[in-house]
Structures are given as C-alpha cells and as structure tokens.
Amino acid sequence: MKKKKNNNGEMASVRKRKRSREDWIVDGFAYGMAAILVIAIILPFMQVITVSMSPASVVNATGFHLLPTKFDFSGYKKIATDNNFWHSYLNTILRAAIGTASGVLITIMTAYPLSKVNLPYRKGLMLFVVFTMYFSGGMIPKYLLIKNLHLTNNFLVYILPCLITGFALIITRNFFMSIPAELEESAKIDGATPWRVLFGIYLPLSKPVVATISLWYCVQHWNSWMDNMLYVTKSNLYVLQYVLQTILTNGQTADMETMVDVIIHTETMKMAALVLSLLPIVCTYPFLQKYFVKGMLVGSVKG
C-alpha cells in the first residue's frame, strides 16, 4: 500500500496491483528474447575485435575468440600502410558528410510544404512519394539513366541518386504536422516569410526528427558499396565499404583498372579493417540516440 497526495493536498491510498502469473510469463519471454538478441549482436562483434588484435596462432585456432589471450597489433600496422584503404576512407567520410547534409536539407525543404493541408494536389504528391518506396525502374534503366547524365566515374553519383528517401520524407512531414499551426500564424502576422518560419521556428523545434533522419542518411551513405561497383571504375573514387568488401571476399585489395593485386591481407588485417570501418558510426550513435526514439514516435503517429 502506497500513499500520495491528490489535487487537494490530501493523502490518498494507492493499492499496487498484484502481478499475475501471466504478467511474469510475458515479462520473462520479453526479457529472454531481448537477451538472445543482445548476445547474437555482441558475440560476433567481440569475435571481430579479438581477432583483429590477436596473433596468427590464436586466429588459426578453432572456436570462438571472445576475449584476447595474446595481443598482436600487426593487422592494424599493416592496414595503416595501405594507402588504398585510407583514400577510400576519406572518400566515404566526404560522401557521408555531404550526402547527409544535403539529404537532410532537401528532406526538410520538401516536407515543410507537404505538411500544409492547403497545398494543391497534396494527396497525389504523397501517393507519388509512397509509390517510389515500393517500385523502381530497375537496375538496368537506372544504370542507363546515370550513364546518360554523365555521372559514371563522378563523385556526384554517390550523392544525387540517393539525395532523398521517401520514408525519411514521410517521417519529417508527419513531425512538422505535429507542430501547432498557431506558431506559424503568429510569425506571419509579425511579417515572417516562409523561409523564416521554416528555419527560424520549425527547424529549432525539430531536433529529434533531424537527428533521426541524419543518422539514417549517414548510415546509408557509410554502408553503401553497390553504387561504387556499378558506376565507378576509377580507384581514386572507391569508397570504404567497396574496398572492405573486396578485402573480406578476396583477401586482398585489387586495383580494378590494372587488375593487379596491391596488398595481400591476412585474417587479422581483414578484421582490423572491419573494426576501423565501424568506429565512426559506433562513436556517432550515442550522441543521437536520445533523439532517435522521440523522432520516430512523433514522426510516425500523425497521418
């Protein structure tokens, strides 16, 4: 039995509901599934980190290597001398930074007018956005389009084709619809232009959804490698994930222009490259996580 004050300041008794057997079963099942999911994520991650800093004798041994018993950072030393890896790393950083900034800006500028109920043909435009989430022209028509636009072997091929995504647009538009219209009306009475309303009122109030879609765009650009494989043949434009994919599948980095293997990679070096490729996203996520849930919930509720 607990006591707390009511609205009149009087003490009122609150009886704590007794948990039933079904409650314990449901909670136990939920916690059990969560534990299995956590273990399934952590074990491979620990394996990768341990192998990346272990000598060959440990790496060649069978079984899981969850904790390092011996330390050998030769894999990191080898990857530090791989100019192809670090050049692709720089390309990926530039791609993620430019792609995320431009994607967030275009998404916000597109979502703002779509959040207005008096926008002409608003429903038709939203149906068009939803249509693009389920259907596309296919790989060959897309390749022909990009080739005719002279984007092959061009850094812009990493930015323009994936400048905006329909799901991020819908989430941002729904978040804008949850902002009280009275704020915009009062700003317009004071003489504010639509640009001033968007960047002076809506944007400061939209930190959760901006952080959410920024994380989406950043991860999308950081993990992309298929567009590199399809549209880029110049090694100076390779992105990190394509080089990493080559390392993991072939055990080597290959210069696709000369078809000459550049450096032979050991298993330790593969895992070291994988760890280094994960670091930026792993370090960025904790700073955006507090906005992530709020942005998802508010942006997905209002229709």
Side-chain angles (χ1 to χ4, degrees):
M1 183 80 68
K2 293 184 178 180
K3 294 183 178 181
K4 68 176 184 178
K5 289 186 178 181
N6 56 21
N7 294 334
N8 297 325
E10 300 175 351
M11 298 301 294
S13 298
V14 179
R15 184 180 297 276
K16 186 177 180 180
R17 187 178 70 88
K18 186 177 180 181
R19 295 175 61 82
S20 63
R21 181 181 178 183
E22 289 77 10
D23 292 335
W24 287 104
I25 294 176
V26 171
D27 288 350
F29 178 78
Y31 282 115
M33 293 300 296
I36 294 174
L37 182 62
V38 169
I39 293 173
I41 295 174
I42 290 180
L43 288 184
F45 195 71
M46 293 177 63
Q47 171 84 354
V48 168
I49 295 177
T50 300
V51 171
S52 70
M53 57 180 63
S54 298
S57 59
V58 175
V59 175
N60 294 332
T62 58
F64 278 104
H65 308 290
L66 302 182
L67 295 175
T69 56
K70 297 180 181 179
F71 291 93
D72 181 7
F73 296 96
S74 60
Y76 290 96
K77 293 178 181 178
K78 290 180 181 179
I79 204 70
T81 62
D82 188 353
N83 294 328
N84 189 33
F85 178 85
W86 291 112
H87 189 79
S88 66
Y89 210 114
L90 177 61
N91 287 339
T92 301
I93 292 175
L94 292 175
R95 172 181 181 169
I98 298 173
T100 301
S102 57
V104 170
L105 178 62
I106 297 300
T107 301
I108 290 173
M109 293 174 62
T110 308
Y112 174 67
L114 288 175
S115 66
K116 306 306 174 186
V117 294
N118 58 350
L119 178 71
Y121 309 109
R122 174 171 172 265
K123 291 185 178 180
L125 292 172
M126 288 307 304
L127 287 175
F128 178 77
V129 172
V130 174
F131 181 85
T132 62
M133 296 172 60
Y134 295 97
F135 303 98
S136 65
M139 184 180 296
I140 295 177
K142 184 178 180 180
Y143 177 82
L144 294 176
L145 174 63
I146 289 177
K147 183 179 180 180
N148 291 332
L149 293 175
H150 304 289
L151 290 177
T152 54
N153 287 322
N154 190 325
F155 187 81
L156 291 178
V157 77
Y158 297 142
I159 308 298
L160 296 181
C162 51
L163 189 61
I164 187 172
T165 61
F167 187 70
L169 177 61
I170 292 174
I171 292 293
T172 308
R173 169 249 190 187
N174 290 350
F175 191 96
F176 284 167
M177 291 178 65
S178 67
I179 297 177
E182 291 77 11
L183 293 175
E184 181 175 358
E185 293 174 359
S186 61
K188 288 183 176 179
I189 292 174
D190 293 334
T193 63
W195 293 104
R196 175 63 178 171
V197 172
L198 174 59
F199 292 102
I201 297 177
Y202 274 68
L203 192 57
L205 296 175
S206 305
K207 290 181 180 179
V209 75
V210 169
T212 301
I213 64 174
S214 296
L215 183 62
W216 289 347
Y217 282 122
C218 184
V219 172
Q220 172 188 338
H221 283 286
W222 191 268
N223 290 334
S224 295
W225 62 273
M226 181 67 74
D227 46 9
N228 186 167
M229 184 181 70
L230 294 176
Y231 313 126
V232 176
T233 57
K234 293 183 178 180
S235 59
N236 63 328
L237 292 177
Y238 285 174
V239 294
L240 175 63
Q241 299 302 328
Y242 179 69
V243 173
L244 183 63
Q245 185 264 348
T246 305
I247 294 173
L248 296 179
T249 55
N250 302 331
Q252 57 198 19
T253 56
D255 187 340
M256 299 302 293
E257 292 180 337
T258 60
M259 296 304 293
V260 176
D261 296 336
V262 180
I263 300 176
I264 303 300
H265 292 262
T266 63
E267 193 70 22
T268 301
M269 191 173 182
K270 294 180 186 179
M271 296 301 106
L274 186 58
V275 171
L276 291 174
S277 69
L278 291 173
L279 281 179
I281 297 299
V282 172
C283 294
T284 302
Y285 182 77
F287 298 99
L288 301 178
Q289 190 271 339
K290 63 180 179 179
Y291 300 109
F292 188 80
V293 176
K294 182 179 179 181
M296 278 293 295
L297 290 177
V298 178
S300 59
V301 170
K302 196 172 182 64

